[in-house]
Amino acid sequence: MADRPFRLLQIDHVVLRVRDTANMIAFYCDVLGCSVERRQDAIGLVQLRAGSSLIDLVDIDGKLGRAGGAGPGAEGHNMDHLCLRAEPFDHEAIVAHLQAHGARIGDFGSRYGAEGEGPSQYLFDPEGNVVELKGPPEHAPADSTVSQAASR
């Protein structure tokens, strides 16, 4: 391991370039429980609070968005997926909530994440970005950086 003057703690924020900011705010706030933390309308940026992280929505027609080229579409997206740790993780209740909001639901399974292997539900936001809701690990990791970081 190289000597570094820092250590990584968590994902600070994810930036999504979007076509319909209002629709995306409604989805991330009403369906997933984020809240609008800050708006910078002059540059086309809305920052949403997602637990201890942020999801930045950049309007492709705004100052920042125009600098990034063509917007997301059928030919490609600006990311593979965004994973949000969810708690508690009652799969049936989560699916019922998503269905009640008309969310397009993807695959469910056990997947590996920052805390280890655990339940994971994929869904899609209004612009086709994949969002993963991740539950707690099924087993506490025996010897990993996760358990080491938790003890600090």
Side-chain angles (χ1 to χ4, degrees):
M1 182 167 135
D3 289 330
R4 289 183 200 90
F6 62 89
R7 68 182 174 94
L8 299 178
L9 301 176
Q10 67 186 28
I11 293 175
D12 184 86
H13 67 278
V14 174
V15 180
L16 300 177
R17 297 179 67 243
V18 305
R19 293 181 304 269
D20 186 342
T21 304
N23 198 26
M24 294 291 274
I25 291 170
F27 175 81
Y28 281 95
C29 292
D30 298 345
V31 178
L32 296 182
C34 294
S35 60
V36 175
E37 178 152 319
R38 197 172 124 186
R39 294 186 75 106
Q40 295 185 52
D41 293 329
I43 59 173
L45 172 66
V46 178
Q47 294 177 293
L48 306 177
R49 174 62 56 187
S52 61
S53 302
L54 292 175
I55 300 171
D56 293 356
L57 304 177
V58 173
D59 188 322
I60 61 168
D61 292 327
K63 182 177 181 181
L64 286 179
R66 286 189 306 270
E75 68 283 353
H77 294 276
N78 293 328
M79 69 170 182
D80 181 72
H81 74 277
L82 153 69
C83 180
L84 300 171
R85 173 66 162 82
E87 194 171 282
F89 196 92
D90 177 337
H91 183 245
E92 290 181 13
I94 289 170
V95 169
H97 172 76
L98 296 173
Q99 289 173 332
H101 283 84
R104 191 174 72 157
I105 299 170
D107 294 335
F108 172 78
S110 182
R111 297 181 179 90
Y112 191 80
E115 296 177 307
E117 189 79 21
S120 161
Q121 177 65 59
Y122 284 152
L123 63 139
F124 299 85
D125 74 15
E127 296 198 1
N129 295 300
V130 178
V131 178
E132 177 183 359
L133 295 179
K134 185 81 173 70
E138 294 163 353
H139 306 289
D143 181 42
S144 71
T145 55
V146 172
S147 58
Q148 293 169 7
S151 65
R152 290 183 191 162

PDB file of all heavy atoms in Angstrom, residues 1-37:
ATOM      1  N   MET A   1       0.842  -1.190   0.000  1.00  0.00           N
ATOM      2  CA  MET A   1       0.000   0.000   0.000  1.00  0.00           C
ATOM      3  C   MET A   1       0.883   1.248   0.000  1.00  0.00           C
ATOM      4  O   MET A   1       1.781   1.390   0.820  1.00  0.00           O
ATOM      5  CB  MET A   1      -0.898  -0.029   1.244  1.00  0.00           C
ATOM      6  CG  MET A   1      -1.841   1.113   1.323  1.00  0.00           C
ATOM      7  SD  MET A   1      -3.079   0.774   2.607  1.00  0.00           S
ATOM      8  CE  MET A   1      -3.096   2.336   3.403  1.00  0.00           C
ATOM      9  N   ALA A   2       0.637   2.148  -0.897  1.00  0.00           N
ATOM     10  CA  ALA A   2       1.423   3.379  -1.004  1.00  0.00           C
ATOM     11  C   ALA A   2       1.059   4.330   0.125  1.00  0.00           C
ATOM     12  O   ALA A   2      -0.070   4.358   0.591  1.00  0.00           O
ATOM     13  CB  ALA A   2       1.165   4.039  -2.355  1.00  0.00           C
ATOM     14  N   ASP A   3       2.054   5.105   0.558  1.00  0.00           N
ATOM     15  CA  ASP A   3       1.772   6.125   1.571  1.00  0.00           C
ATOM     16  C   ASP A   3       1.019   7.258   0.911  1.00  0.00           C
ATOM     17  O   ASP A   3       1.436   7.780  -0.126  1.00  0.00           O
ATOM     18  CB  ASP A   3       3.076   6.654   2.175  1.00  0.00           C
ATOM     19  CG  ASP A   3       3.748   5.620   3.064  1.00  0.00           C
ATOM     20  OD1 ASP A   3       3.027   4.797   3.671  1.00  0.00           O
ATOM     21  OD2 ASP A   3       4.993   5.644   3.144  1.00  0.00           O
ATOM     22  N   ARG A   4      -0.126   7.607   1.481  1.00  0.00           N
ATOM     23  CA  ARG A   4      -0.950   8.697   0.965  1.00  0.00           C
ATOM     24  C   ARG A   4      -1.259   9.653   2.111  1.00  0.00           C
ATOM     25  O   ARG A   4      -1.420   9.225   3.235  1.00  0.00           O
ATOM     26  CB  ARG A   4      -2.268   8.157   0.413  1.00  0.00           C
ATOM     27  CG  ARG A   4      -2.124   7.402  -0.852  1.00  0.00           C
ATOM     28  CD  ARG A   4      -3.494   6.950  -1.375  1.00  0.00           C
ATOM     29  NE  ARG A   4      -3.307   5.865  -2.295  1.00  0.00           N
ATOM     30  CZ  ARG A   4      -3.290   4.582  -1.960  1.00  0.00           C
ATOM     31  NH1 ARG A   4      -3.493   4.213  -0.724  1.00  0.00           N
ATOM     32  NH2 ARG A   4      -3.087   3.667  -2.869  1.00  0.00           N
ATOM     33  N   PRO A   5      -1.405  10.919   1.798  1.00  0.00           N
ATOM     34  CA  PRO A   5      -1.754  11.884   2.845  1.00  0.00           C
ATOM     35  C   PRO A   5      -3.268  11.917   3.122  1.00  0.00           C
ATOM     36  O   PRO A   5      -3.764  12.879   3.691  1.00  0.00           O
ATOM     37  CB  PRO A   5      -1.261  13.211   2.262  1.00  0.00           C
ATOM     38  CG  PRO A   5      -1.405  13.018   0.784  1.00  0.00           C
ATOM     39  CD  PRO A   5      -1.091  11.569   0.536  1.00  0.00           C
ATOM     40  N   PHE A   6      -3.993  10.885   2.701  1.00  0.00           N
ATOM     41  CA  PHE A   6      -5.449  10.849   2.894  1.00  0.00           C
ATOM     42  C   PHE A   6      -5.911   9.402   2.879  1.00  0.00           C
ATOM     43  O   PHE A   6      -5.188   8.507   2.464  1.00  0.00           O
ATOM     44  CB  PHE A   6      -6.179  11.629   1.789  1.00  0.00           C
ATOM     45  CG  PHE A   6      -5.960  11.052   0.419  1.00  0.00           C
ATOM     46  CD1 PHE A   6      -6.803  10.060  -0.068  1.00  0.00           C
ATOM     47  CD2 PHE A   6      -4.921  11.487  -0.382  1.00  0.00           C
ATOM     48  CE1 PHE A   6      -6.591   9.515  -1.325  1.00  0.00           C
ATOM     49  CE2 PHE A   6      -4.703  10.944  -1.636  1.00  0.00           C
ATOM     50  CZ  PHE A   6      -5.548   9.954  -2.107  1.00  0.00           C
ATOM     51  N   ARG A   7      -7.169   9.193   3.331  1.00  0.00           N
ATOM     52  CA  ARG A   7      -7.843   7.910   3.158  1.00  0.00           C
ATOM     53  C   ARG A   7      -9.254   8.201   2.697  1.00  0.00           C
ATOM     54  O   ARG A   7      -9.843   9.222   3.050  1.00  0.00           O
ATOM     55  CB  ARG A   7      -7.836   7.066   4.436  1.00  0.00           C
ATOM     56  CG  ARG A   7      -8.670   7.593   5.567  1.00  0.00           C
ATOM     57  CD  ARG A   7      -8.534   6.678   6.795  1.00  0.00           C
ATOM     58  NE  ARG A   7      -9.224   7.257   7.914  1.00  0.00           N
ATOM     59  CZ  ARG A   7     -10.480   6.974   8.254  1.00  0.00           C
ATOM     60  NH1 ARG A   7     -11.158   6.072   7.576  1.00  0.00           N
ATOM     61  NH2 ARG A   7     -11.050   7.556   9.278  1.00  0.00           N
ATOM     62  N   LEU A   8      -9.784   7.332   1.876  1.00  0.00           N
ATOM     63  CA  LEU A   8     -11.122   7.536   1.350  1.00  0.00           C
ATOM     64  C   LEU A   8     -12.148   7.105   2.391  1.00  0.00           C
ATOM     65  O   LEU A   8     -11.988   6.071   3.033  1.00  0.00           O
ATOM     66  CB  LEU A   8     -11.313   6.748   0.054  1.00  0.00           C
ATOM     67  CG  LEU A   8     -10.368   7.139  -1.075  1.00  0.00           C
ATOM     68  CD1 LEU A   8     -10.626   6.265  -2.292  1.00  0.00           C
ATOM     69  CD2 LEU A   8     -10.517   8.607  -1.427  1.00  0.00           C
ATOM     70  N   LEU A   9     -13.222   7.889   2.552  1.00  0.00           N
ATOM     71  CA  LEU A   9     -14.237   7.616   3.553  1.00  0.00           C
ATOM     72  C   LEU A   9     -15.533   7.087   2.967  1.00  0.00           C
ATOM     73  O   LEU A   9     -16.124   6.157   3.497  1.00  0.00           O
ATOM     74  CB  LEU A   9     -14.547   8.887   4.357  1.00  0.00           C
ATOM     75  CG  LEU A   9     -13.370   9.514   5.103  1.00  0.00           C
ATOM     76  CD1 LEU A   9     -13.815  10.806   5.766  1.00  0.00           C
ATOM     77  CD2 LEU A   9     -12.818   8.542   6.120  1.00  0.00           C
ATOM     78  N   GLN A  10     -16.028   7.707   1.905  1.00  0.00           N
ATOM     79  CA  GLN A  10     -17.318   7.340   1.317  1.00  0.00           C
ATOM     80  C   GLN A  10     -17.486   8.083   0.009  1.00  0.00           C
ATOM     81  O   GLN A  10     -16.667   8.928  -0.326  1.00  0.00           O
ATOM     82  CB  GLN A  10     -18.467   7.718   2.254  1.00  0.00           C
ATOM     83  CG  GLN A  10     -18.610   9.235   2.422  1.00  0.00           C
ATOM     84  CD  GLN A  10     -19.636   9.620   3.443  1.00  0.00           C
ATOM     85  OE1 GLN A  10     -19.886   8.873   4.372  1.00  0.00           O
ATOM     86  NE2 GLN A  10     -20.236  10.768   3.286  1.00  0.00           N
ATOM     87  N   ILE A  11     -18.539   7.775  -0.722  1.00  0.00           N
ATOM     88  CA  ILE A  11     -18.852   8.560  -1.909  1.00  0.00           C
ATOM     89  C   ILE A  11     -19.431   9.894  -1.441  1.00  0.00           C
ATOM     90  O   ILE A  11     -20.373   9.926  -0.654  1.00  0.00           O
ATOM     91  CB  ILE A  11     -19.847   7.828  -2.820  1.00  0.00           C
ATOM     92  CG1 ILE A  11     -19.171   6.584  -3.401  1.00  0.00           C
ATOM     93  CG2 ILE A  11     -20.365   8.744  -3.924  1.00  0.00           C
ATOM     94  CD1 ILE A  11     -20.083   5.717  -4.223  1.00  0.00           C
ATOM     95  N   ASP A  12     -18.860  10.993  -1.891  1.00  0.00           N
ATOM     96  CA  ASP A  12     -19.325  12.318  -1.514  1.00  0.00           C
ATOM     97  C   ASP A  12     -20.554  12.710  -2.330  1.00  0.00           C
ATOM     98  O   ASP A  12     -21.550  13.143  -1.781  1.00  0.00           O
ATOM     99  CB  ASP A  12     -18.211  13.351  -1.728  1.00  0.00           C
ATOM    100  CG  ASP A  12     -18.611  14.732  -1.272  1.00  0.00           C
ATOM    101  OD1 ASP A  12     -18.450  15.017  -0.078  1.00  0.00           O
ATOM    102  OD2 ASP A  12     -19.116  15.507  -2.112  1.00  0.00           O
ATOM    103  N   HIS A  13     -20.461  12.571  -3.645  1.00  0.00           N
ATOM    104  CA  HIS A  13     -21.595  12.899  -4.493  1.00  0.00           C
ATOM    105  C   HIS A  13     -21.472  12.210  -5.846  1.00  0.00           C
ATOM    106  O   HIS A  13     -20.401  11.755  -6.226  1.00  0.00           O
ATOM    107  CB  HIS A  13     -21.750  14.419  -4.682  1.00  0.00           C
ATOM    108  CG  HIS A  13     -20.654  15.056  -5.459  1.00  0.00           C
ATOM    109  ND1 HIS A  13     -19.453  15.419  -4.896  1.00  0.00           N
ATOM    110  CD2 HIS A  13     -20.578  15.398  -6.761  1.00  0.00           C
ATOM    111  CE1 HIS A  13     -18.684  15.966  -5.821  1.00  0.00           C
ATOM    112  NE2 HIS A  13     -19.337  15.956  -6.970  1.00  0.00           N
ATOM    113  N   VAL A  14     -22.580  12.114  -6.522  1.00  0.00           N
ATOM    114  CA  VAL A  14     -22.676  11.593  -7.883  1.00  0.00           C
ATOM    115  C   VAL A  14     -23.353  12.686  -8.696  1.00  0.00           C
ATOM    116  O   VAL A  14     -24.282  13.335  -8.221  1.00  0.00           O
ATOM    117  CB  VAL A  14     -23.531  10.303  -7.927  1.00  0.00           C
ATOM    118  CG1 VAL A  14     -23.761   9.844  -9.345  1.00  0.00           C
ATOM    119  CG2 VAL A  14     -22.869   9.207  -7.109  1.00  0.00           C
ATOM    120  N   VAL A  15     -22.889  12.896  -9.923  1.00  0.00           N
ATOM    121  CA  VAL A  15     -23.459  13.927 -10.787  1.00  0.00           C
ATOM    122  C   VAL A  15     -24.179  13.247 -11.956  1.00  0.00           C
ATOM    123  O   VAL A  15     -23.588  12.442 -12.659  1.00  0.00           O
ATOM    124  CB  VAL A  15     -22.370  14.883 -11.318  1.00  0.00           C
ATOM    125  CG1 VAL A  15     -22.987  15.945 -12.221  1.00  0.00           C
ATOM    126  CG2 VAL A  15     -21.613  15.519 -10.164  1.00  0.00           C
ATOM    127  N   LEU A  16     -25.448  13.577 -12.122  1.00  0.00           N
ATOM    128  CA  LEU A  16     -26.246  13.071 -13.235  1.00  0.00           C
ATOM    129  C   LEU A  16     -26.573  14.232 -14.173  1.00  0.00           C
ATOM    130  O   LEU A  16     -27.085  15.262 -13.729  1.00  0.00           O
ATOM    131  CB  LEU A  16     -27.564  12.471 -12.731  1.00  0.00           C
ATOM    132  CG  LEU A  16     -27.471  11.294 -11.763  1.00  0.00           C
ATOM    133  CD1 LEU A  16     -28.863  10.888 -11.314  1.00  0.00           C
ATOM    134  CD2 LEU A  16     -26.754  10.133 -12.413  1.00  0.00           C
ATOM    135  N   ARG A  17     -26.285  14.063 -15.445  1.00  0.00           N
ATOM    136  CA  ARG A  17     -26.694  15.043 -16.454  1.00  0.00           C
ATOM    137  C   ARG A  17     -28.091  14.640 -16.884  1.00  0.00           C
ATOM    138  O   ARG A  17     -28.316  13.506 -17.291  1.00  0.00           O
ATOM    139  CB  ARG A  17     -25.708  15.042 -17.615  1.00  0.00           C
ATOM    140  CG  ARG A  17     -24.315  15.481 -17.147  1.00  0.00           C
ATOM    141  CD  ARG A  17     -23.272  15.487 -18.253  1.00  0.00           C
ATOM    142  NE  ARG A  17     -23.596  16.519 -19.225  1.00  0.00           N
ATOM    143  CZ  ARG A  17     -23.896  16.264 -20.504  1.00  0.00           C
ATOM    144  NH1 ARG A  17     -23.940  15.047 -20.969  1.00  0.00           N
ATOM    145  NH2 ARG A  17     -24.171  17.254 -21.324  1.00  0.00           N
ATOM    146  N   VAL A  18     -29.064  15.554 -16.779  1.00  0.00           N
ATOM    147  CA  VAL A  18     -30.474  15.206 -16.968  1.00  0.00           C
ATOM    148  C   VAL A  18     -31.173  16.102 -17.980  1.00  0.00           C
ATOM    149  O   VAL A  18     -30.789  17.249 -18.190  1.00  0.00           O
ATOM    150  CB  VAL A  18     -31.229  15.227 -15.617  1.00  0.00           C
ATOM    151  CG1 VAL A  18     -30.547  14.315 -14.603  1.00  0.00           C
ATOM    152  CG2 VAL A  18     -31.330  16.625 -15.042  1.00  0.00           C
ATOM    153  N   ARG A  19     -32.244  15.552 -18.575  1.00  0.00           N
ATOM    154  CA  ARG A  19     -33.058  16.303 -19.541  1.00  0.00           C
ATOM    155  C   ARG A  19     -34.231  17.013 -18.861  1.00  0.00           C
ATOM    156  O   ARG A  19     -34.629  18.086 -19.285  1.00  0.00           O
ATOM    157  CB  ARG A  19     -33.599  15.346 -20.617  1.00  0.00           C
ATOM    158  CG  ARG A  19     -32.531  14.754 -21.509  1.00  0.00           C
ATOM    159  CD  ARG A  19     -33.123  13.831 -22.579  1.00  0.00           C
ATOM    160  NE  ARG A  19     -33.923  12.754 -22.013  1.00  0.00           N
ATOM    161  CZ  ARG A  19     -33.456  11.540 -21.669  1.00  0.00           C
ATOM    162  NH1 ARG A  19     -32.197  11.261 -21.852  1.00  0.00           N
ATOM    163  NH2 ARG A  19     -34.244  10.627 -21.178  1.00  0.00           N
ATOM    164  N   ASP A  20     -34.830  16.392 -17.839  1.00  0.00           N
ATOM    165  CA  ASP A  20     -36.026  16.934 -17.185  1.00  0.00           C
ATOM    166  C   ASP A  20     -35.780  17.029 -15.684  1.00  0.00           C
ATOM    167  O   ASP A  20     -36.079  16.109 -14.921  1.00  0.00           O
ATOM    168  CB  ASP A  20     -37.228  16.028 -17.492  1.00  0.00           C
ATOM    169  CG  ASP A  20     -38.549  16.570 -16.972  1.00  0.00           C
ATOM    170  OD1 ASP A  20     -38.544  17.461 -16.088  1.00  0.00           O
ATOM    171  OD2 ASP A  20     -39.590  16.090 -17.442  1.00  0.00           O
ATOM    172  N   THR A  21     -35.225  18.139 -15.250  1.00  0.00           N
ATOM    173  CA  THR A  21     -34.819  18.317 -13.858  1.00  0.00           C
ATOM    174  C   THR A  21     -35.994  18.170 -12.897  1.00  0.00           C
ATOM    175  O   THR A  21     -35.872  17.501 -11.864  1.00  0.00           O
ATOM    176  CB  THR A  21     -34.142  19.690 -13.666  1.00  0.00           C
ATOM    177  OG1 THR A  21     -33.033  19.782 -14.575  1.00  0.00           O
ATOM    178  CG2 THR A  21     -33.639  19.874 -12.242  1.00  0.00           C
ATOM    179  N   ALA A  22     -37.133  18.762 -13.208  1.00  0.00           N
ATOM    180  CA  ALA A  22     -38.287  18.699 -12.303  1.00  0.00           C
ATOM    181  C   ALA A  22     -38.745  17.254 -12.086  1.00  0.00           C
ATOM    182  O   ALA A  22     -39.045  16.845 -10.950  1.00  0.00           O
ATOM    183  CB  ALA A  22     -39.436  19.543 -12.845  1.00  0.00           C
ATOM    184  N   ASN A  23     -38.804  16.476 -13.146  1.00  0.00           N
ATOM    185  CA  ASN A  23     -39.203  15.078 -13.052  1.00  0.00           C
ATOM    186  C   ASN A  23     -38.195  14.274 -12.223  1.00  0.00           C
ATOM    187  O   ASN A  23     -38.575  13.413 -11.427  1.00  0.00           O
ATOM    188  CB  ASN A  23     -39.339  14.487 -14.461  1.00  0.00           C
ATOM    189  CG  ASN A  23     -40.145  13.214 -14.488  1.00  0.00           C
ATOM    190  OD1 ASN A  23     -40.987  12.956 -13.643  1.00  0.00           O
ATOM    191  ND2 ASN A  23     -39.880  12.401 -15.492  1.00  0.00           N
ATOM    192  N   MET A  24     -36.913  14.560 -12.404  1.00  0.00           N
ATOM    193  CA  MET A  24     -35.875  13.855 -11.648  1.00  0.00           C
ATOM    194  C   MET A  24     -35.914  14.244 -10.168  1.00  0.00           C
ATOM    195  O   MET A  24     -35.753  13.392  -9.292  1.00  0.00           O
ATOM    196  CB  MET A  24     -34.503  14.151 -12.250  1.00  0.00           C
ATOM    197  CG  MET A  24     -34.340  13.584 -13.653  1.00  0.00           C
ATOM    198  SD  MET A  24     -34.272  11.783 -13.687  1.00  0.00           S
ATOM    199  CE  MET A  24     -32.514  11.576 -13.393  1.00  0.00           C
ATOM    200  N   ILE A  25     -36.162  15.523  -9.868  1.00  0.00           N
ATOM    201  CA  ILE A  25     -36.295  15.944  -8.461  1.00  0.00           C
ATOM    202  C   ILE A  25     -37.470  15.216  -7.826  1.00  0.00           C
ATOM    203  O   ILE A  25     -37.357  14.694  -6.707  1.00  0.00           O
ATOM    204  CB  ILE A  25     -36.469  17.476  -8.354  1.00  0.00           C
ATOM    205  CG1 ILE A  25     -35.173  18.192  -8.734  1.00  0.00           C
ATOM    206  CG2 ILE A  25     -36.906  17.875  -6.941  1.00  0.00           C
ATOM    207  CD1 ILE A  25     -35.327  19.700  -8.889  1.00  0.00           C
ATOM    208  N   ALA A  26     -38.592  15.161  -8.526  1.00  0.00           N
ATOM    209  CA  ALA A  26     -39.773  14.469  -7.990  1.00  0.00           C
ATOM    210  C   ALA A  26     -39.454  13.008  -7.704  1.00  0.00           C
ATOM    211  O   ALA A  26     -39.803  12.487  -6.638  1.00  0.00           O
ATOM    212  CB  ALA A  26     -40.942  14.584  -8.968  1.00  0.00           C
ATOM    213  N   PHE A  27     -38.777  12.326  -8.603  1.00  0.00           N
ATOM    214  CA  PHE A  27     -38.440  10.914  -8.402  1.00  0.00           C
ATOM    215  C   PHE A  27     -37.509  10.730  -7.208  1.00  0.00           C
ATOM    216  O   PHE A  27     -37.797   9.954  -6.301  1.00  0.00           O
ATOM    217  CB  PHE A  27     -37.792  10.333  -9.664  1.00  0.00           C
ATOM    218  CG  PHE A  27     -37.316   8.916  -9.482  1.00  0.00           C
ATOM    219  CD1 PHE A  27     -38.204   7.859  -9.575  1.00  0.00           C
ATOM    220  CD2 PHE A  27     -35.982   8.653  -9.206  1.00  0.00           C
ATOM    221  CE1 PHE A  27     -37.771   6.550  -9.394  1.00  0.00           C
ATOM    222  CE2 PHE A  27     -35.541   7.351  -9.032  1.00  0.00           C
ATOM    223  CZ  PHE A  27     -36.436   6.300  -9.125  1.00  0.00           C
ATOM    224  N   TYR A  28     -36.394  11.430  -7.202  1.00  0.00           N
ATOM    225  CA  TYR A  28     -35.409  11.227  -6.139  1.00  0.00           C
ATOM    226  C   TYR A  28     -35.929  11.688  -4.773  1.00  0.00           C
ATOM    227  O   TYR A  28     -35.587  11.085  -3.753  1.00  0.00           O
ATOM    228  CB  TYR A  28     -34.071  11.884  -6.494  1.00  0.00           C
ATOM    229  CG  TYR A  28     -33.283  11.023  -7.457  1.00  0.00           C
ATOM    230  CD1 TYR A  28     -33.341  11.239  -8.828  1.00  0.00           C
ATOM    231  CD2 TYR A  28     -32.529   9.955  -6.998  1.00  0.00           C
ATOM    232  CE1 TYR A  28     -32.655  10.424  -9.712  1.00  0.00           C
ATOM    233  CE2 TYR A  28     -31.841   9.134  -7.872  1.00  0.00           C
ATOM    234  CZ  TYR A  28     -31.908   9.364  -9.226  1.00  0.00           C
ATOM    235  OH  TYR A  28     -31.241   8.541 -10.104  1.00  0.00           O
ATOM    236  N   CYS A  29     -36.769  12.708  -4.746  1.00  0.00           N
ATOM    237  CA  CYS A  29     -37.309  13.174  -3.464  1.00  0.00           C
ATOM    238  C   CYS A  29     -38.549  12.384  -3.041  1.00  0.00           C
ATOM    239  O   CYS A  29     -38.592  11.856  -1.929  1.00  0.00           O
ATOM    240  CB  CYS A  29     -37.615  14.669  -3.533  1.00  0.00           C
ATOM    241  SG  CYS A  29     -36.132  15.687  -3.676  1.00  0.00           S
ATOM    242  N   ASP A  30     -39.543  12.282  -3.914  1.00  0.00           N
ATOM    243  CA  ASP A  30     -40.804  11.638  -3.543  1.00  0.00           C
ATOM    244  C   ASP A  30     -40.692  10.125  -3.437  1.00  0.00           C
ATOM    245  O   ASP A  30     -41.289   9.513  -2.554  1.00  0.00           O
ATOM    246  CB  ASP A  30     -41.910  11.986  -4.549  1.00  0.00           C
ATOM    247  CG  ASP A  30     -42.205  13.476  -4.597  1.00  0.00           C
ATOM    248  OD1 ASP A  30     -41.781  14.202  -3.676  1.00  0.00           O
ATOM    249  OD2 ASP A  30     -42.850  13.908  -5.566  1.00  0.00           O
ATOM    250  N   VAL A  31     -39.951   9.492  -4.331  1.00  0.00           N
ATOM    251  CA  VAL A  31     -39.861   8.031  -4.340  1.00  0.00           C
ATOM    252  C   VAL A  31     -38.735   7.525  -3.442  1.00  0.00           C
ATOM    253  O   VAL A  31     -38.927   6.595  -2.664  1.00  0.00           O
ATOM    254  CB  VAL A  31     -39.683   7.493  -5.778  1.00  0.00           C
ATOM    255  CG1 VAL A  31     -39.544   5.978  -5.790  1.00  0.00           C
ATOM    256  CG2 VAL A  31     -40.863   7.917  -6.654  1.00  0.00           C
ATOM    257  N   LEU A  32     -37.554   8.143  -3.537  1.00  0.00           N
ATOM    258  CA  LEU A  32     -36.403   7.633  -2.790  1.00  0.00           C
ATOM    259  C   LEU A  32     -36.105   8.370  -1.494  1.00  0.00           C
ATOM    260  O   LEU A  32     -35.275   7.913  -0.713  1.00  0.00           O
ATOM    261  CB  LEU A  32     -35.165   7.621  -3.688  1.00  0.00           C
ATOM    262  CG  LEU A  32     -35.258   6.678  -4.893  1.00  0.00           C
ATOM    263  CD1 LEU A  32     -33.966   6.714  -5.690  1.00  0.00           C
ATOM    264  CD2 LEU A  32     -35.589   5.262  -4.461  1.00  0.00           C
ATOM    265  N   GLY A  33     -36.748   9.504  -1.238  1.00  0.00           N
ATOM    266  CA  GLY A  33     -36.580  10.181   0.045  1.00  0.00           C
ATOM    267  C   GLY A  33     -35.449  11.180   0.138  1.00  0.00           C
ATOM    268  O   GLY A  33     -35.069  11.590   1.241  1.00  0.00           O
ATOM    269  N   CYS A  34     -34.902  11.616  -0.982  1.00  0.00           N
ATOM    270  CA  CYS A  34     -33.892  12.675  -0.948  1.00  0.00           C
ATOM    271  C   CYS A  34     -34.582  14.001  -0.645  1.00  0.00           C
ATOM    272  O   CYS A  34     -35.810  14.092  -0.679  1.00  0.00           O
ATOM    273  CB  CYS A  34     -33.183  12.781  -2.300  1.00  0.00           C
ATOM    274  SG  CYS A  34     -32.197  11.349  -2.754  1.00  0.00           S
ATOM    275  N   SER A  35     -33.792  15.025  -0.391  1.00  0.00           N
ATOM    276  CA  SER A  35     -34.345  16.368  -0.227  1.00  0.00           C
ATOM    277  C   SER A  35     -33.467  17.351  -0.993  1.00  0.00           C
ATOM    278  O   SER A  35     -32.268  17.123  -1.166  1.00  0.00           O
ATOM    279  CB  SER A  35     -34.401  16.755   1.252  1.00  0.00           C
ATOM    280  OG  SER A  35     -33.104  16.736   1.820  1.00  0.00           O
ATOM    281  N   VAL A  36     -34.097  18.425  -1.464  1.00  0.00           N
ATOM    282  CA  VAL A  36     -33.327  19.447  -2.171  1.00  0.00           C
ATOM    283  C   VAL A  36     -32.515  20.200  -1.129  1.00  0.00           C
ATOM    284  O   VAL A  36     -33.055  20.751  -0.176  1.00  0.00           O
ATOM    285  CB  VAL A  36     -34.252  20.418  -2.951  1.00  0.00           C
ATOM    286  CG1 VAL A  36     -33.432  21.549  -3.571  1.00  0.00           C
ATOM    287  CG2 VAL A  36     -35.042  19.668  -4.019  1.00  0.00           C
ATOM    288  N   GLU A  37     -31.213  20.183  -1.288  1.00  0.00           N
ATOM    289  CA  GLU A  37     -30.331  20.870  -0.354  1.00  0.00           C
ATOM    290  C   GLU A  37     -29.939  22.250  -0.861  1.00  0.00           C
ATOM    291  O   GLU A  37     -29.849  23.193  -0.089  1.00  0.00           O
ATOM    292  CB  GLU A  37     -29.069  20.036  -0.109  1.00  0.00           C
ATOM    293  CG  GLU A  37     -28.101  20.734   0.812  1.00  0.00           C
ATOM    294  CD  GLU A  37     -27.247  19.791   1.587  1.00  0.00           C
ATOM    295  OE1 GLU A  37     -27.748  18.759   2.061  1.00  0.00           O
ATOM    296  OE2 GLU A  37     -26.070  20.100   1.746  1.00  0.00           O
TER     297      GLU A  37
END
